[in-house]
Amino acid sequence: MVISTGMYIATIVTTVIIVVSIPGCLLTIVTISTRPSLRNLVNVPLVSISCADLLFAICGPALWIYHYLHPQWEPPGALCWFEAYTTPALFAVSIGHMLCIALQRYFNVCTYSTCLKSTRVLIAMLSLTWLLPFAFLLPLSVLSETKVDPKTKRCGTAGSTYLWAKIIPAIFVYITPYVASFVCYALIQMHVRKSMNRVKAHAGHHSNRLAVQFSSGKGGGVRVNLNDAVPSTSTVQTTHASRNADDGGVWMGYDRSSSSDDEQNVEEQNKPDKTKVFILVAPASDQPRTDNNQHASQGSSSQSNAAERQITKMMMTLFAVFTACCLPMILMVLFYNKVPSEALMVASTLMALNGALNPIVYGLMNKNIRQGYKHIWNSILNYVT
């Protein structure tokens, strides 16, 4: 049988994807496992999905190449069953990892529960991510006859007459996890946007001064204005300042006159019934230490928030790459009978490409992982040379 040009192109592209995917996934696993700065809960799902991508590249695309080059080849029954079972199951595991990562980000960003952020919850989610796809797809693989599908040019169970065995996995391990992942990231975006709006609103109405206004004449009382600061239209002048050790405050007089009255006498300001303002500040002895503590706390909080934003951005990019590569295959599986074989081949190639792109996303968007890649790569080169 003559092999078409499209088959040769698919073979070359798939070979390149395998050559990139396997070393990339192995490099990610070794880097995160051996670098102390990367051994944390955030990176555990990345190791898990790298294992899934590695197994998928070995069990799926590696066999597709032989099917492409030998269209008439009928693999042994056990091998054909293994391919038909593991390829869709590992693809479903990748979708499950997208949901696991999205839930982890949602728990960290949008909730205050320490239980939901615990190691136990993460292990439970990852266990379900691996177990559910294989469990849901097992009945279809056991009950149906596995053979080479003329459309996809590989072993599969698409021709099965057990409709329920195809619908249930499609809903629970393909569609639901993907939609739930999308919803989680949408909720995270809404939460971040609301938080930013609250911070801006608070900053706009924030006041760092406490103005105490009183009259020193007969019957003069004291009035404390928490929100009414010195009007912006009036000119504030410092006539003299004295520090009181008892209350830790600084007295500062002001004049409500315009700038043309700058030469007004100090005694005129101190006459009875003249209004004065006290601007209270902290004592000088405590000020430096308090400021240092506040700056240190704010700096630590700012760094932590920046790290969380960067991690969330990387995970959302990972989901966007997954969507671009795998959503066509998800849609084509739902309308399998109406999709031409060429479109299925392109969708399969894009699905395999996702495993090759994931390590690239990690390296581009995470400085620590990028440095880990360089360290491992340099170690390998030094060992070889």
Side-chain angles (χ1 to χ4, degrees):
M1 182 178 179
V2 179
I3 302 175
S4 64
T5 305
M7 287 292 185
Y8 280 117
I9 295 174
T11 301
I12 295 172
V13 173
T14 305
T15 302
V16 173
I17 290 173
I18 295 173
V19 170
V20 175
S21 296
I22 294 178
C25 293
L26 288 173
L27 187 61
T28 301
I29 295 169
V30 173
T31 299
I32 296 177
S33 302
T34 58
R35 302 282 287 181
S37 61
L38 296 174
R39 289 201 295 263
N40 51 55
L41 291 181
V42 173
N43 294 325
V44 171
L46 302 185
V47 174
S48 184
I49 194 174
S50 295
C51 293
D53 292 338
L54 178 64
L55 293 174
F56 181 83
I58 296 172
C59 300
L63 292 174
W64 300 352
I65 294 175
Y66 200 83
H67 284 294
Y68 294 158
L69 296 178
H70 304 84
Q72 302 298 325
W73 178 57
E74 289 288 342
L79 180 60
C80 193
W81 183 89
F82 178 80
E83 180 186 2
Y85 177 50
T86 57
T87 301
L90 290 171
F91 176 51
V93 169
S94 296
I95 301 176
H97 275 91
M98 292 297 108
L99 176 57
C100 180
I101 293 172
L103 286 174
Q104 186 189 40
R105 286 290 86 207
Y106 178 80
F107 294 155
N108 286 338
V109 175
C110 302
T111 68
Y112 299 98
S113 172
T114 56
C115 179
L116 294 175
K117 303 175 186 178
S118 64
T119 305
R120 186 178 302 175
V121 171
L122 180 60
I123 292 175
M125 290 193 299
L126 288 175
S127 300
L128 292 175
T129 297
W130 280 93
L131 292 175
L132 289 181
F134 286 96
F136 274 100
L137 289 168
L138 185 59
L140 179 63
S141 299
V142 171
L143 297 175
S144 304
E145 180 186 2
T146 56
K147 57 184 180 180
V148 177
D149 191 337
K151 269 191 173 184
T152 59
K153 307 295 187 298
R154 59 178 184 269
C155 294
T157 56
S160 174
T161 57
Y162 295 95
L163 190 60
W164 63 271
K166 293 191 289 187
I167 293 177
I168 293 177
I171 293 175
F172 287 99
V173 300
Y174 291 110
I175 300 174
T176 301
Y178 179 81
V179 173
S181 302
F182 185 85
V183 170
C184 284
Y185 284 118
L187 292 175
I188 292 172
Q189 282 289 88
M190 291 174 59
H191 177 82
V192 171
R193 190 177 294 112
K194 288 181 180 179
S195 298
M196 293 178 64
N197 291 337
R198 284 197 299 267
V199 169
K200 290 179 180 178
H202 178 72
H205 297 85
H206 183 65
S207 176
N208 351 346
R209 291 184 176 182
L210 173 62
V212 182
Q213 185 177 1
F214 75 97
S215 231
S216 60
K218 278 189 177 181
V222 177
R223 185 177 60 185
V224 180
N225 298 326
L226 295 177
N227 296 322
D228 300 332
V230 179
S232 58
T233 56
S234 62
T235 303
V236 178
Q237 295 180 341
T238 302
T239 58
H240 67 274
S242 63
R243 184 173 301 279
N244 191 328
D246 295 332
D247 57 16
V250 174
W251 183 89
M252 300 181 72
Y254 83 93
D255 184 9
R256 291 184 180 273
S257 60
S258 63
S259 59
S260 62
D261 299 324
D262 289 343
E263 302 299 328
Q264 187 175 2
N265 195 304
V266 174
E267 294 179 359
E268 190 71 18
Q269 294 180 4
N270 293 332
K271 285 183 179 180
D273 299 331
K274 284 290 182 178
T275 303
K276 299 174 184 176
V277 166
F278 282 75
I279 299 178
L280 302 181
V281 297
S285 58
D286 296 334
Q287 190 77 15
R289 183 177 178 181
T290 304
D291 287 348
N292 290 338
N293 292 339
Q294 288 180 350
H295 289 327
S297 175
Q298 291 175 357
S300 175
S301 175
S302 177
Q303 290 178 359
S304 176
N305 292 337
E308 283 294 326
R309 286 195 299 269
Q310 182 61 27
I311 292 171
T312 303
K313 184 179 179 181
M314 183 183 74
M315 298 308 183
M316 295 181 72
T317 304
L318 192 68
F319 181 72
V321 172
F322 178 86
T323 299
C325 293
C326 299
L327 185 59
M329 176 55 75
I330 296 175
L331 297 176
M332 289 182 189
V333 166
L334 299 178
F335 305 98
Y336 179 80
N337 294 328
K338 299 180 180 180
V339 178
S341 59
E342 293 79 7
L344 283 170
M345 185 177 297
V346 173
S348 299
T349 305
L350 285 175
M351 182 175 64
L353 179 63
N354 180 67
L357 294 178
N358 285 343
I360 298 175
V361 173
Y362 308 150
L364 290 177
M365 304 200 66
N366 191 304
K367 182 180 179 181
N368 292 331
I369 294 179
R370 183 166 62 252
Q371 291 176 347
Y373 284 167
K374 292 179 181 178
H375 176 76
I376 298 297
W377 185 249
N378 290 335
S379 300
I380 294 174
L381 291 179
N382 292 335
Y383 179 80
V384 172
T385 56

